[in-house]
Amino acid sequence: MAVKKVTVKDLVEHTRLTIVSGEKHLDRTIQTADISRPGLEMTGYFTYYAPERVQLLGITETSFSERMSHDELLMVYRKMADEKTPAFVVSTNLPIADELKQAADEAGIPILTTHLTSSQILSNMTYYLGGELAPRQAVHGVLIDVHGLGVLITGDAGIGKTESALELIQQGKARLVADDRVDIHQEDEQRLIGQPSEVLQNLMEVRGVGIIDVQQVYGAVSVRSHASIRLNIHLSNGKIGEENFDRLGNEDETLDILGVKVKKMVVPVTPGRNTASVIDAAAVKFRTQNMGYDALQTLQERMDKAMQSNEKEDAEEKKHD
């Protein structure tokens, strides 16, 4: 499990920030997605100050600082300018205090600004840093988007994961997210996001053919940069009848990734069986179940109705006997 390294330069490029000072120090690392609004710190209370966070200054902090003397404000900003502090961000195009510039320059900390409000830039930075700094796990498999559903295909090497995904892409039923290696991070407690590694983006390795660029061959609509993983289809070499496969689809098997459980279906791969069609059917079934329709429940209701009808007919026959 790995965590991606994020620098202040990355934050600037992805959250619409402008550099005011400290361009030589944009390589400072950001270790947490939490953003600090230093309200109590402006009063000199630093007991619970979190220096490793990006420090966001808005209208409230700026207006309070106007009531402070030069020496008081410089002392506060020097305490905030810790060696662990990645950057200061000033929202709403507010004026930058000279004391903040002096303290930041002394510590080598960048000052960034934006026209966005504190709430807006806070949301942007939290969303970006949350995704980038989340724990990551690489999984061997293929991730495709089938009818808007993120499907992670796993299985032994050479079992046909890539070929099945490619067939669905050719049919226009799926879009490629990642082949061979899927980088996964947790966006929240119930949501996993999968994406390709930078080196393998849009590429597939087809045995006997080689590397193909899916976007170049099948068009931009055939690929996606990421997808939310909702279903895991595991391809197995076991033969139907020899393995205890789920025939009715009522088993509640899951795949655990980063503490999040994903619905898992085990599909046997046998000669003459169209695995791509089975994957497509599994994705459609999963979607319809989430919409409230369960074919197994329909079968059970029909069987119950048939049994009740047979019992009624048997009772009628006994009366005539």
Side-chain angles (χ1 to χ4, degrees), residues 69-89:
S69 67
H70 167 76
D71 292 338
E72 290 175 333
L73 191 56
L74 183 58
M75 179 191 67
V76 167
Y77 281 139
R78 278 175 170 168
K79 284 188 176 182
M80 290 173 58
D82 188 270
E83 61 179 9
K84 297 179 181 178
T85 304
F88 291 102
V89 176

Side-chain angles (χ1 to χ4, degrees), residues 258-316:
L258 296 171
V260 178
K261 295 187 182 303
V262 179
K263 171 67 176 178
K264 179 178 181 180
M265 296 183 184
V266 179
V267 173
V269 176
T270 56
R273 197 175 196 217
N274 191 322
T275 307
S277 297
V278 177
I279 292 174
D280 181 44
V284 172
K285 176 186 176 182
F286 181 82
R287 179 176 289 280
T288 55
Q289 283 181 330
N290 287 338
M291 294 173 63
Y293 176 77
D294 190 342
L296 180 60
Q297 182 178 352
T298 300
L299 174 61
Q300 185 64 53
E301 290 173 353
R302 290 177 180 176
M303 291 177 62
D304 291 343
K305 186 176 180 180
M307 290 176 62
Q308 292 175 1
S309 177
N310 291 336
E311 290 175 355
K312 185 175 180 180
E313 291 178 359
D314 291 342
E316 290 293 334

